[in-house]
């Protein structure tokens, strides 16, 4: 029994776990971290270069899984009513939380 190769249109690509669109990244950032200056706050909190965040938003770089997961955690905190500050990651490390 021989099988013929599938046409490209028949191949379904499963989304990566944690995959995030740049629109989702932008929405979470601007909503949870504040409308103005949220990119700078995220860069400061994560240690990422501001240019990296800009490249994610422009679609120049794909948003890696670790960044998508972090942004979803930020969204969960926001939805739970936990206030976000520019040093939110560092504060948890210092407090041992």
């Amino acid at each position: 029994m021989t099988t013929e190769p599938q046409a490209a249109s028949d191949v379904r690509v499963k989304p990566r776990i944690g995959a995030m669109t740049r629109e989702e990244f932008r929405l979470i950032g601007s909503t949870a971290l504040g409308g103005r200056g949220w990119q700078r706050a995220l860069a400061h909190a994560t240690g990422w270069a501001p240019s990296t965040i800009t490249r994610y938003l422009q679609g120049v770089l794909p948003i890696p899984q670790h960044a998508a997961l972090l942004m979803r955690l930020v969204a969960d905190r926001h939805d739970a009513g936990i206030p976000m500050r520019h040093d939110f990651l560092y504060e948890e490390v210092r407090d041992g939380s």
Side-chain angles (χ1 to χ4, degrees):
M1 174 184 251
T2 61
T3 59
E4 295 187 25
Q6 292 179 331
S9 61
D10 293 339
V11 177
R12 299 193 192 277
V13 177
K14 292 182 181 178
R16 292 180 333 195
I17 295 174
M20 176 176 283
T21 66
R22 58 188 174 152
E23 291 79 17
E24 185 180 10
F25 190 91
R26 178 178 283 112
L27 179 63
I28 292 171
S30 63
T31 302
L33 298 174
R36 188 171 167 101
W38 72 266
Q39 295 174 32
R40 187 175 310 119
L42 181 62
H44 178 77
T46 59
W48 299 338
S51 61
T52 298
I53 295 168
T54 300
R55 289 182 181 121
Y56 293 159
L57 294 169
Q58 292 173 341
V60 174
L61 289 176
I63 299 167
Q65 186 174 4
H66 70 275
L69 293 173
L70 176 67
M71 292 304 281
R72 288 198 174 93
L73 289 172
V74 166
D76 288 346
R77 281 184 69 142
H78 178 265
D79 292 346
I82 301 170
M84 302 299 291
R85 298 190 330 249
H86 72 280
D87 60 348
F88 67 96
L89 291 176
Y90 296 118
E91 189 65 29
E92 289 184 4
V93 171
R94 284 195 302 266
D95 288 347
S97 308

